[in-house]
Amino acid sequence: VQLQASGGGLVQAGGSLRLSCAASGFTFDDYAIGWFHQAPGKEREGVSCITSSDGSTYYADSVKGRFTVSSDNAKNTVYLQMNSLKPEDTGVYYCAATREREKLWVLFATEYDYWGQGTLVTVSS
């Protein structure tokens, strides 16, 4: 099982980026794919999640209305469209996968079994 996150870069505040998470070694069926943000010197925090079974989406309050998660199951790829970026969005973004199950805390890192290597997003003010 491998997850490959990409799409990070340097952007000015108010700009946009689209991150991609490409999965290999498994199919998205019955998996939840989460995005996590780790700011410099801080713990990893859940940003968003999408469940492959029904396409349900979840967002942290800090990104609601600005970020959109989507998936292309045929390509085994999940996207995170990030708009209206703020300097506090700076950090490494990781995608992660776990099997869907009841009482899954979708924005908690400890719930996830497989992790990508992360992609760096830098938002300048």
Side-chain angles (χ1 to χ4, degrees):
V1 174
Q2 285 191 325
L3 296 168
Q4 180 80 28
S6 62
L10 174 64
V11 63
Q12 288 188 332
S16 299
L17 283 174
R18 188 177 81 156
L19 307 184
S20 298
C21 176
S24 59
F26 71 104
T27 58
F28 276 176
D29 295 349
D30 299 323
Y31 274 82
I33 306 297
W35 284 99
F36 292 81
H37 168 228
Q38 188 163 19
K42 296 189 176 180
E43 293 186 357
R44 200 169 297 188
E45 297 181 334
V47 171
S48 183
C49 172
I50 186 166
T51 57
S52 57
S53 59
D54 62 2
S56 294
T57 57
Y58 305 86
Y59 298 95
D61 288 344
S62 60
V63 306
K64 281 180 182 177
R66 300 189 299 124
F67 291 10
T68 302
V69 64
S70 62
S71 68
D72 185 336
N73 287 3
K75 294 183 178 180
N76 254 25
T77 301
V78 169
Y79 304 98
L80 185 68
Q81 178 67 43
M82 306 189 297
N83 298 330
S84 302
L85 282 162
K86 305 175 181 180
E88 51 263 44
D89 295 321
T90 292
V92 179
Y93 284 76
Y94 299 89
C95 60
T98 188
R99 283 196 179 273
E100 294 180 27
R101 54 191 180 275
E102 291 187 6
K103 298 183 181 180
L104 174 64
W105 294 84
V106 295
L107 297 182
F108 280 68
T110 53
E111 295 283 274
Y112 289 79
D113 304 304
Y114 307 106
W115 289 83
Q117 86 292 353
T119 185
L120 177 63
V121 172
T122 303
V123 184
S124 63
S125 57

